Amino acid sequence: MVLSESDNVKLFRQSAPYINSHRGKTFVLMFGGEAVEDANFANIINDIALLNSLGVRLVLVHGARPQIDQREALRNRPMRFHNDVRITDKVTIESVKDAAGSVRSQVEALLTMGLANSPMHGSQIRVCSGNLVVAMPMGVREGVDYELTGLVRRIDVSGINDHLNDGSIVLLGPMGYSPTGEVFNLSHEDVATQAAIHMKADKLIVFTEQDGLMDEKGTLIRNLDRNLLQKQMDGQHDARTANVLSAVAASLDAGVSRCHCVSYQRDGALLQELFTRDGVGTLVSHYYYEQLRQATIDDVGGILKLINPLEEKGVLVKRSRELLESEIDRFTIIERDGMIIACAALYPYASEGVGELACVVTHQDYRGSNRGERMMNAIIEKAKDQGLSRIFVLTTVTGHWFREQGFLPSGVEELPEGKKRLYNYQRNSKVLMLSI
């Protein structure tokens, strides 16, 4: 798809809040050896360079499993795994060193590239790596000696921070070193998780083969909270995906606020995920990305911005800021990444057991995804809590939608006395009623 000039301007303007938000933040990016071999990897490197130029502090963690497999195959060596974890002996560790070194060199070369016709022209990026991961042996488990397969014991936080403070990108591989001088083969998931935790990273970003995490029907899951993530983990049978989910879960539990899963095959997925409100992958956070909650006085400006277009068209009766401030406790909203995308209000007539559902609005970019129904159900529960038995709505153009939700046509005479006196016969709004 080719964007028009106006689309490009709009996209650039919409990305500005995210540029400001991400500047100075620490992101850990995790990608396996499969991503490095993908044709799109050079584009990912270009996008990583762009993040660096925008002031994001980047720790890259790469894997090398397929590259190790290739070297073991060339040596005619049998590949030994237990519970999907490689058993690394003294010969295999040479393949690990060779593969990890090769991948590191490839990444460093791509980040150094600055041809005049490339997106990285003039970038002058420094990449730093080294003995920044201290490891320990995994040991013997279930009677199996994993030999030189290890676990992360410690991350050199101060050393990494020194490099990041200098504006460098830090590159970590699937190897760690012990105080006794041994080299251990580590899973890059373990390295990335521990790096994110100990660096107190703002984000862990995981590159996956698919667009993100998928449900049982193969549909992309856009947003997950920690509880829903656990359900995904409990039902997961693929070892690779289970490793990703475990990394995300451990990071969240240790204080990383947001984790993203994006495709390494989709050009621009990283930038779209980070610089657009909806993204293209899966966002996992402690709490649901879209929060339905009671409105507060701080939400008045966002609600006014949401309802203003419909007020200008005459669909809604105009509300002043002062009126909205005085009635803010009547409103329920849906907030998405700091933006109010839906609202509704309940005005109770307690003595008559009736409530008015009013100002039901969903942002035009977020219609068609059941948010209106979700909002209405929240208002119905709120009405029940207040002891109301019916709710009504006055509408000039959306009567059909309310009919689909179970509202039935009614008349002005059925309105509570207080509302009946205020009914505007010039607007001639339709009255619809729902028993709850």
Side-chain angles (χ1 to χ4, degrees):
M1 181 180 67
V2 179
L3 295 177
S4 66
E5 184 175 340
S6 61
D7 288 335
N8 283 323
V9 171
K10 181 180 179 182
L11 183 64
F12 193 65
R13 286 172 175 165
Q14 289 178 343
S15 68
Y18 297 97
I19 294 174
N20 295 327
S21 174
H22 297 333
R23 186 179 296 115
K25 299 297 176 60
T26 300
F27 295 174
V28 174
L29 276 59
M30 177 180 108
F31 49 90
E34 297 84 0
V36 177
E37 293 185 341
D38 192 81
N40 187 52
F41 187 67
N43 294 324
I44 293 174
I45 291 294
N46 289 334
D47 294 343
I48 288 171
L50 177 57
L51 290 182
N52 177 257
S53 70
L54 293 173
V56 181
R57 295 155 55 90
L58 296 172
V59 179
L60 312 184
V61 181
H62 71 82
R65 175 176 281 203
Q67 291 82 2
I68 297 170
D69 289 346
Q70 292 163 12
R71 283 155 177 79
E72 286 289 88
L74 288 173
R75 291 184 167 99
N76 293 316
R77 292 268 301 165
M79 287 176 278
R80 296 187 296 154
F81 291 87
H82 183 71
N83 292 333
D84 200 48
V85 176
R86 189 188 303 275
I87 299 170
T88 310
D89 58 23
K90 291 182 179 180
V91 178
T92 303
I93 197 66
E94 297 304 318
S95 295
V96 173
K97 293 177 185 177
D98 185 14
S102 176
V103 173
R104 185 188 71 235
S105 297
Q106 182 180 351
V107 174
E108 289 175 347
L110 288 171
L111 283 168
T112 305
M113 184 175 64
L115 297 175
N117 62 346
S118 76
M120 293 173 60
H121 177 58
S123 56
Q124 296 182 335
I125 294 172
R126 291 193 302 272
V127 185
C128 296
S129 56
N131 58 339
L132 298 169
V133 179
V134 178
M136 60 184 180
M138 183 176 286
V140 179
R141 302 190 179 195
E142 298 178 351
V144 176
D145 186 355
Y146 285 91
E147 302 186 46
L148 293 175
T149 298
L151 298 170
V152 175
R153 178 178 179 182
R154 182 171 60 83
I155 298 291
D156 185 356
V157 174
S158 61
I160 293 175
N161 272 324
D162 286 343
H163 293 310
L164 295 178
N165 292 338
D166 287 339
S168 301
I169 292 176
V170 173
L171 180 62
L172 305 178
M175 291 195 305
Y177 309 92
S178 74
T180 57
E182 293 175 294
V183 180
F184 287 99
N185 176 26
L186 308 177
S187 76
H188 73 286
E189 293 94 345
D190 185 27
V191 176
T193 302
Q194 296 306 316
I197 292 171
H198 288 91
M199 293 299 300
K200 294 180 171 57
D202 298 281
K203 291 181 185 291
L204 170 66
I205 301 171
V206 181
F207 286 90
T208 59
E209 183 177 5
Q210 298 176 306
D211 284 336
L213 301 179
M214 302 292 173
D215 63 18
E216 63 278 1
K217 297 179 181 178
T219 302
L220 175 66
I221 304 171
R222 291 285 189 178
N223 306 291
L224 279 176
D225 63 16
R226 182 61 180 86
N227 291 330
L228 292 175
L229 176 65
Q230 188 61 50
K231 292 181 181 179
Q232 287 283 314
M233 295 172 66
D234 294 341
Q236 187 54 240
H237 302 294
D238 179 74
R240 303 286 178 85
T241 304
N243 290 339
V244 169
L245 296 178
S246 296
V248 170
S251 300
L252 288 173
D253 292 344
V256 178
S257 59
R258 289 185 174 184
C259 299
H260 301 257
C261 297
V262 297
S263 172
Y264 60 73
Q265 296 182 333
R266 178 170 178 165
D267 186 15
L270 177 62
L271 299 183
Q272 287 179 278
E273 181 69 10
L274 293 176
F275 294 100
T276 64
R277 179 165 283 108
D278 298 321
V280 294
T282 300
L283 168 63
V284 190
S285 57
H286 277 289
Y287 304 103
Y288 197 69
Y289 187 48
E290 286 189 4
Q291 183 182 7
L292 188 150
R293 60 174 175 82
Q294 170 67 44
T296 69
I297 195 69
D298 294 331
D299 299 316
V300 169
I303 295 174
L304 286 172
K305 185 176 181 180
L306 176 66
I307 66 179
N308 180 257
L310 295 181
E311 290 179 342
E312 296 295 329
K313 294 178 181 179
V315 175
L316 294 178
V317 176
K318 191 169 183 62
R319 287 173 168 81
S320 66
R321 176 177 285 271
E322 292 76 15
L323 177 62
L324 189 55
E325 287 176 351
S326 67
E327 297 179 343
I328 194 63
D329 61 321
R330 309 290 190 195
F331 279 77
T332 299
I333 65 168
I334 295 178
E335 180 185 20
R336 182 181 179 88
D337 199 23
M339 175 183 174
I340 297 173
I341 63 169
C343 71
L346 175 67
Y347 295 86
Y349 296 83
S351 61
E352 298 169 77
V354 183
E356 180 183 8
L357 172 61
C359 202
V360 182
V361 181
T362 302
H363 191 283
Q364 62 178 4
D365 293 343
Y366 296 94
R367 292 171 187 161
S369 297
N370 299 320
R371 292 182 179 88
E373 291 89 335
R374 186 180 172 204
M375 180 66 69
M376 192 189 73
N377 290 334
I379 293 293
I380 289 174
E381 292 304 314
K382 192 174 184 179
K384 289 179 179 178
D385 290 342
Q386 297 182 25
L388 306 181
S389 59
R390 295 182 299 162
I391 58 174
F392 68 90
V393 64
L394 301 179
T395 179
T396 55
V397 298
T398 57
H400 67 286
W401 184 83
F402 288 101
R403 289 291 302 274
E404 291 172 2
Q405 311 310 313
F407 283 76
L408 297 176
S410 188
V412 177
E413 67 279 359
E414 295 295 321
L415 295 174
E417 289 300 321
K419 190 66 180 180
K420 195 183 301 182
R421 289 194 298 268
L422 297 175
Y423 182 80
N424 187 337
Y425 284 91
Q426 287 186 326
R427 282 182 62 83
N428 194 29
S429 300
K430 296 183 181 298
V431 181
L432 296 104
M433 193 81 65
L434 176 69
S435 296
I436 57 175

